[in-house]
Amino acid sequence: MKHNIKLRKQLKRQLEVTNIKGTFVQSQPIWVRIFHWGFTLCLTGTILTGLQLHKPASFLALKFSKVFTFHIAFVWLAMGFVGIRLSDAIIRKDDSLVPKVQDLKQFPKLIAYYLFLRPSPPPSRKYNSGQVFVYFSWILLFLATSFLGLVSYWQGEHLVWVWRLVGGFQVIRWTKFTISIYFLATIPLHIYLSLTENISRLQAMFTGYERK
Ligand code: HEM
């Protein structure tokens, strides 16, 4: 009996130590965090000013030329943050944002988990397959849209071949608008899952360290 109580006390102490203190491991290096929050801010600015340019909300009474200047500034800054992340990935040989065949295989299992058909998510690398696909698509689409933006900014002065290839200014406008809607549809999901799935991953996006 006495032995049992001692064991229970030991177990309780162990659980307390791992639960309360846990072990901290570094999971988000400084440049990933700088990229993440910088990109979040600039992309939000880009999308909001882009929507205002697309269809000005008259109640805001904002000058078109001012909104345009802010739009361009936000895109250049966001491109800078993407540049930081890409350089960081090359220097650290980090491929966590690049989808692999293994991610394709795990994706149906992940969806089954999100639909409550599986008790736990399938094993994954740093990010799960859904995250990798979405993050990769964001970076790719952001770069493609920024390039199309540059094409329309130069108004047929430079890169005329791209203008002709895609089919003109209206097609560029339509493509940029559709991609903005894709961002607007997927970002809330990203924020929702970041807040509900594993809060220590969110902590790591601020401090760099994750509690395991
Ligand atoms: C309040 C808003 C946001 C919160 C709370 C948030 C939170 C997070 C968290 C917690 C992670 C790490 C996920 C993990 O470790 O499992 C992450 C990663 C990421 N988020 Fe966000 N996020 C937000 C907004 C955005 C926005 C607007 C974008 C851009 C479209 C974005 C793009 C990314 C990318 C690309 C990564 C991967 C980071 C890397 O390894 O480079 N996030 N986010």
Side-chain angles (χ1 to χ4, degrees):
M1 184 68 180
K2 216 172 167 189
H3 181 66
N4 253 355
I5 293 175
K6 202 175 160 200
L7 270 179
R8 246 188 250 170
K9 271 189 184 161
Q10 265 178 1
L11 182 69
K12 195 171 160 248
R13 208 171 314 129
Q14 243 179 356
L15 283 174
E16 272 171 6
V17 168
T18 41
N19 252 339
I20 300 167
K21 287 197 183 130
T23 39
F24 285 94
V25 287
Q26 196 186 18
S27 66
Q28 298 294 11
I30 182 75
W31 293 114
V32 173
R33 285 177 278 149
I34 289 177
F35 152 74
H36 183 265
W37 296 116
F39 188 60
T40 297
L41 197 78
C42 296
L43 194 79
T44 307
T46 304
I47 294 176
L48 292 181
T49 50
L51 290 176
Q52 174 69 11
L53 291 173
H54 176 79
K55 201 162 195 272
S58 49
F59 66 92
L60 287 177
L62 295 171
K63 231 175 143 185
F64 188 91
S65 59
K66 280 258 160 55
V67 179
F68 186 62
T69 310
F70 271 98
H71 185 66
I72 305 281
F74 276 131
V75 183
W76 277 114
L77 282 171
M79 275 204 273
F81 286 114
V82 171
I84 287 178
R85 182 65 177 97
L86 293 182
S87 317
D88 167 70
I90 293 167
I91 293 167
R92 287 193 298 118
K93 295 191 176 64
D94 165 46
D95 62 356
S96 55
L97 294 179
V98 183
K100 304 232 161 110
V101 180
Q102 187 196 344
D103 294 312
L104 262 182
K105 285 187 195 152
Q106 302 292 14
F107 190 64
K109 292 180 198 159
L110 181 73
I111 295 298
Y113 166 68
Y114 284 142
L115 295 176
F116 304 101
L117 300 172
R118 256 181 78 108
S120 58
S124 58
R125 296 183 286 145
K126 181 176 177 185
Y127 300 124
N128 69 41
S129 50
Q131 286 175 303
V132 175
F133 291 135
V134 171
Y135 298 162
F136 187 73
S137 73
W138 282 347
I139 306 271
L140 214 68
L141 287 174
F142 170 74
L143 291 177
T145 325
S146 309
F147 181 65
L148 286 182
L150 212 58
V151 173
S152 48
Y153 181 75
W154 279 325
Q155 307 238 2
E157 260 178 73
H158 305 285
L159 297 170
V160 185
W161 61 273
V162 185
W163 188 283
R164 292 211 185 100
L165 188 77
V166 293
F169 185 60
Q170 283 308 328
V171 181
I172 292 182
R173 282 190 69 206
W174 180 87
T175 312
K176 288 202 291 179
F177 181 76
T178 311
I179 291 173
S180 308
I181 300 300
Y182 171 73
F183 272 109
L184 287 174
T186 45
I187 290 171
L189 194 66
H190 171 66
I191 297 174
Y192 170 74
L193 290 174
S194 303
L195 297 176
T196 55
E197 193 68 14
N198 182 352
I199 205 75
S200 72
R201 304 284 293 236
L202 179 60
Q203 174 182 327
M205 207 32 116
F206 289 99
T207 63
Y209 289 88
E210 187 183 334
R211 194 199 299 256
K212 285 278 184 197

